[in-house]
């Protein structure tokens, strides 16, 4: 018997609905600090996802870190197709929202629970900013 | 968001496509954060190095700059953060002609948009510091945290597209640190010592940034015994913003909104204690090796006083590894005039202007120059450069200069 999909509600959302594989860690996100944007992997050695590819993944992380460069970088990453499918975070800063707006990257933020603990790594999930929901499909 | 008559006209395209696009972007962000309306801003500051922009970002800027004259220029003083190169020294850095071409295209677009190319992340020391309660749209985290905390101005982190949009529309969505209630402390930090060196101030900022943990946290800090100087608070704030994405702190009895702790902090806030051991531990955590390939003073750009101190430390020395000191185009001529540049360069160092090390294709520089083990007195820089493939180490300015002489960081 299939388990019933679990649905989590976010207070903030932007972009179009997407479906894909979740890459989960209780760690922060900054495009400049954490990523090798040419190789498409997390590159900061101390990051919990170091060495893993973020391309086409729905990243489920704790919060935005670092500086303002992400506001441009998501747009640049999108132009080359070396970009996450969506960003899902417990909380975001303005930079991440500004970057998602320019780069047309789907984003959800602001959950009642720790979303990094609620979503299993590798799970198939659906993110719908219009309804403000993240659904774990398996 | 509630729009006034002027904003509705901009949104309808009556002022041209550039202001329309800028306002659309701002509404998207404002709606995301639940902003009720816009607040007028008096200055904007744009972070837009071409490593971040890429070709796509430069083409986006060029698209805006192609609008007809009279419909594309910023409405308020709008200035720039450091560029991705110092053109006079790009060869030394191993930067390619493609990087420089992209820089030139970005600069040409900004000039057409009416942006003033100040190329500095220390505009509060060199161009014009904002005043208390002045609403601005600043776009370097170190600039924002200093302006909010030390000057008492009101700004969110405004990334390049949003800061440029604010320059074009003369306003920004009213959310976050534009709201008085958002500026109240959310945690209390007691510090049991007062740093002396800039690297210690940066390390303290880094420790508090990690504790605070996210953009919406506002630490109220007690225990600093003497009023810090501008350079000390520059490193303190820049590191706090870098390690924690923090945009505002209060120093009890020192910063303008916290004349008394009770002015910004309600009783019963989560409380933390920071000791000298915490600062030492953060610095030590970066010491994997003692061999040094390059010494860098940057992030934030150096003030004239920092260059003065550095020049004195360099006098009569001879470096065996490269030493780079990075300052703003406003400070560099004074550094030249006072003989500081000559003193640093006579020892084998190089003084750069208008760029910042980590915003200048740091990964490609590392590959071109064979630099990996990097010593600096900037806590912000060590926090950033790990992701760029460096093994950064944090030490005092004196220890870093000594490392340039011996090749090892003591």
């Amino acid at each position: 018997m299939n388990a019933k999909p679990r649905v989590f509600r976010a207070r903030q959302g932007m972009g179009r609905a997407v479906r894909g594989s979740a890459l989960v860690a209780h760690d922060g996100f900054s495009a400049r600090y954490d990523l090798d944007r040419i190789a498409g992997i997390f590159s900061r050695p101390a990051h919990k996802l170091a060495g893993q590819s973020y391309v086409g993944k729905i990243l489920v992380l704790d919060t935005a870190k670092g500086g303002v460069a992400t506001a441009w970088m998501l747009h640049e990453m999108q132009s080359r197709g070396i970009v996450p499918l969506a960003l899902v975070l417990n909380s975001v800063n303005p930079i991440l929202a500004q970057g998602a707006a320019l780069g047309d990257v789907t984003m959800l933020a602001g959950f009642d629970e720790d979303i990094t603990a609620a979503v299993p790594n590798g799970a198939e999930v659906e993110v719908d900013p219009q309804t403000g929901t993240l659904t774990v499909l398996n | 968001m509630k729009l006034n008559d002027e904003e509705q006209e901009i949104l309808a395209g009556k002022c041209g496509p550039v202001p329309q696009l800028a306002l659309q972007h701002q509404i998207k962000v404002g709606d995301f954060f639940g902003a009720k309306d816009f607040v007028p801003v008096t200055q904007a500051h744009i972070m837009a190095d071409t490593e971040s922009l890429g070709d796509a970002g430069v083409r986006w800027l060029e698209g805006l700059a192609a609008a007809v004259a009279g419909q594309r220029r910023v409405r308020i003083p709008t200035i720039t953060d450091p560029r991705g190169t110092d053109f006079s020294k790009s060869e030394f850095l191993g930067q390619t002609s493609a990087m420089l071409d992209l820089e030139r295209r970005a600069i040409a677009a900004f000039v057409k948009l009416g942006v003033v190319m100040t190329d500095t992340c220390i505009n509060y020391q060199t161009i014009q510091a904002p005043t208390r309660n002045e609403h601005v749209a600043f776009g370097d985290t170190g600039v924002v945290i200093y302006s909010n905390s030390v000057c008492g101005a009101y700004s969110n982190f405004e990334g390049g597209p949003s800061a440029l949009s604010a320059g074009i529309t003369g306003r920004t969505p009213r959310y976050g640190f534009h709201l008085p209630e958002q500026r109240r402390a959310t945690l209390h930090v007691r510090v049991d010592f007062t740093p002396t060196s800039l690297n210690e101030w940066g390390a303290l900022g880094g420790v508090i940034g990690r504790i605070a943990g996210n953009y919406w946290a506002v630490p109220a800090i007690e225990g600093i015994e003497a009023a810090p100087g501008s350079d000390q608070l520059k490193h303190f704030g820049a590191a706090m913003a870098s390690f924690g994405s923090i945009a505002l702190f209060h120093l009890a009895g020192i910063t303008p909104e916290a004349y008394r702790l009770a002015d910004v902090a309600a009783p019963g806030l989560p409380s933390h204690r920071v000791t000298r051991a915490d600062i030492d531990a953060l610095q030590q955590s970066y010491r994997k090796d003692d061999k040094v390939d390059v010494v860098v003073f940057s992030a934030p750009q150096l003030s004239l006083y920092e260059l003065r101190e550095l020049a004195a430390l360099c006098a009569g020395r001879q470096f065996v590894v490269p030493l780079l000191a990075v300052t703003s185009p406003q400070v560099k001529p004074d550094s030249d005039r006072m003989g500081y540049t000559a003193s640093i360069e006579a020892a084998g160092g190089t003084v750069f202007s208008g760029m910042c090390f980590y915003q200048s294709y740091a990964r490609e520089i590392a590959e071109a120059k064979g630099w990996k083990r990097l010593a600096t007195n900037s806590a912000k820089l060590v926090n950033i450069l790990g992701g760029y493939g460096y093994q950064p180490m944090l030490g005092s300015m004196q220890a870093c200069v000594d490392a340039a002489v011996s090749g090892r960081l003591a």
Side-chain angles (χ1 to χ4, degrees):
Chain A
M1 191 174 92
N2 290 334
K4 189 178 174 186
R6 283 171 294 152
V7 180
F8 300 94
R9 297 203 171 276
R11 289 181 287 280
Q12 297 160 317
M14 184 187 292
R16 63 203 151 73
V18 295
R19 181 175 172 164
S21 175
L23 182 61
V24 185
H26 191 78
D27 207 331
F29 181 81
S30 163
R32 189 192 294 276
Y33 290 29
D34 294 332
L35 307 182
D36 180 336
R37 289 171 289 116
I38 303 302
I41 59 170
F42 281 86
S43 59
R44 186 164 60 85
H47 199 284
K48 290 174 181 165
L49 298 174
Q52 297 197 51
S53 170
Y54 58 77
V55 181
K57 298 288 175 61
I58 295 178
L59 295 181
V60 181
L61 294 164
D62 182 35
T63 190
K65 292 287 187 192
V68 299
T70 305
W72 289 114
M73 286 178 172
L74 289 177
H75 177 256
E76 190 276 335
M77 291 154 63
Q78 184 75 277
S79 75
R80 291 182 292 112
I82 310 291
V83 68
L85 184 59
L87 295 166
V88 177
L89 295 106
N90 283 321
S91 69
V92 297
N93 66 6
I95 297 305
L96 215 46
Q98 294 159 9
L102 183 70
D104 191 25
V105 176
T106 295
M107 191 163 71
L108 281 187
F111 296 86
D112 289 335
E113 55 282 285
D114 176 0
I115 197 65
T116 68
V119 177
N121 190 31
E124 183 79 0
V125 300
E126 191 171 80
V127 173
D128 187 347
Q130 298 310 309
T131 58
T133 56
L134 180 151
T135 305
V136 179
L137 300 167
N138 62 13
Chain B
M1 290 178 69
K2 185 180 174 191
L3 305 184
N4 64 24
D5 291 347
E6 184 185 18
E7 288 151 3
Q8 287 182 19
E9 285 193 359
I10 295 172
L11 190 61
K14 292 180 182 172
C15 301
V18 173
Q20 181 185 36
L21 186 74
L23 200 76
Q24 285 170 341
H25 172 78
Q26 293 182 300
I27 290 172
K28 215 185 272 191
V29 175
D31 281 344
F32 183 86
F33 287 112
K36 290 189 169 58
D37 62 0
F38 281 97
V39 57
V41 291
T42 52
Q43 306 181 50
H45 174 261
I46 304 172
M47 196 294 294
D49 64 77
T50 47
E51 187 212 332
S52 305
L53 285 159
D55 185 62
V58 173
R59 278 190 279 111
W60 186 81
L61 284 176
E62 289 172 334
L64 299 183
V68 295
Q71 292 189 341
R72 67 185 183 213
R73 291 180 71 83
V74 294
R75 295 182 178 201
I76 56 174
T78 301
I79 62 175
T80 52
D81 208 33
R83 304 300 321 148
T85 191
D86 175 337
F87 284 102
S88 69
K89 298 183 174 66
S90 58
E91 198 173 330
F92 172 79
L93 295 172
Q95 294 178 316
T96 65
S97 58
M99 294 172 187
L100 302 183
D101 287 346
L102 206 56
E103 275 293 327
R104 290 189 185 95
R105 284 171 52 198
I107 291 167
F110 276 128
V111 169
K112 277 189 173 175
L113 292 165
V115 174
V116 180
M117 305 305 294
T118 55
D119 305 345
T120 181
C121 60
I122 53 170
N123 54 311
Y124 49 84
Q125 292 183 321
T126 57
I127 304 292
Q128 189 164 111
T131 59
R132 187 167 181 186
N133 299 340
E134 183 177 358
H135 290 270
V136 295
F138 282 171
D140 172 292
T141 58
V143 171
V144 173
I145 194 169
Y146 191 101
S147 299
N148 276 338
S149 310
V150 181
C151 304
Y154 286 30
S155 184
N156 285 311
F157 286 176
E158 299 273 10
S162 292
L164 178 58
S165 296
I168 288 166
T169 66
R171 66 207 72 211
T172 197
R174 194 193 305 267
Y175 69 93
F177 296 105
H178 291 286
L179 302 171
E181 60 271 24
Q182 196 76 47
R183 302 174 68 88
R184 303 276 301 168
T186 63
L187 71 156
H188 173 247
V189 179
R190 173 158 281 284
V191 177
D192 74 355
F193 80 107
T194 301
T196 52
S197 63
L198 296 178
N199 55 299
E200 286 181 349
W201 275 102
L204 177 61
V207 168
I208 294 173
R210 278 182 175 163
I211 291 170
N214 76 79
Y215 182 77
W216 309 101
V218 180
I221 302 152
E222 276 193 300
I224 300 299
E225 287 179 350
S230 177
D231 285 332
Q232 294 169 322
L233 290 176
K234 175 172 82 171
H235 278 265
F236 179 62
M240 198 186 304
S242 177
F243 280 78
S245 197
I246 306 303
L248 169 64
F249 64 83
H250 300 295
L251 288 180
I254 295 174
T255 55
E257 290 167 73
Y259 180 68
R260 296 165 305 182
L261 187 68
D263 293 343
V264 293
L269 290 177
S271 193
H272 304 265
R273 183 182 167 86
V274 174
T275 67
R276 169 148 213 118
D278 297 316
I279 307 312
D280 292 343
L282 182 136
Q283 298 195 92
Q284 203 56 39
S285 69
Y286 291 96
R287 298 292 284 270
K288 311 291 185 200
D289 195 352
D290 65 351
K291 194 165 180 306
V292 170
D293 301 321
V294 62
V295 174
V296 176
F297 297 105
S298 184
Q301 291 172 331
L302 275 66
S303 70
L304 190 65
Y305 293 176
E306 289 174 283
L307 284 166
R308 175 178 176 272
E309 183 183 350
L310 180 60
L313 291 169
C314 292
R317 314 296 292 275
Q318 201 57 53
F319 301 149
V320 298
V321 299
L323 180 149
L324 285 59
V326 183
T327 190
S328 75
Q330 298 76 40
V331 169
K332 176 68 166 40
D334 274 351
S335 175
D336 295 346
R337 201 159 55 89
M338 305 303 165
Y340 304 155
T341 305
S343 175
I344 294 164
E345 297 193 341
T350 310
V351 180
F352 294 81
S353 171
M355 54 170 266
C356 185
F357 186 78
Y358 75 88
Q359 293 177 320
S360 302
Y361 301 92
R363 184 185 306 281
E364 289 80 358
I365 290 175
E367 289 164 1
K369 306 296 289 187
W371 293 340
K372 184 173 178 66
R373 292 162 294 203
L374 179 149
T376 180
N377 73 338
S378 164
K380 173 175 178 169
L381 197 59
V382 296
N383 187 43
I384 294 172
L385 286 180
Y388 279 97
Y390 288 84
Q391 188 177 303
M393 294 172 266
L394 184 59
S396 68
M397 183 183 281
Q398 166 90 59
C400 290
V401 171
D402 290 346
V405 173
S406 68
R408 294 187 179 275
L409 186 64

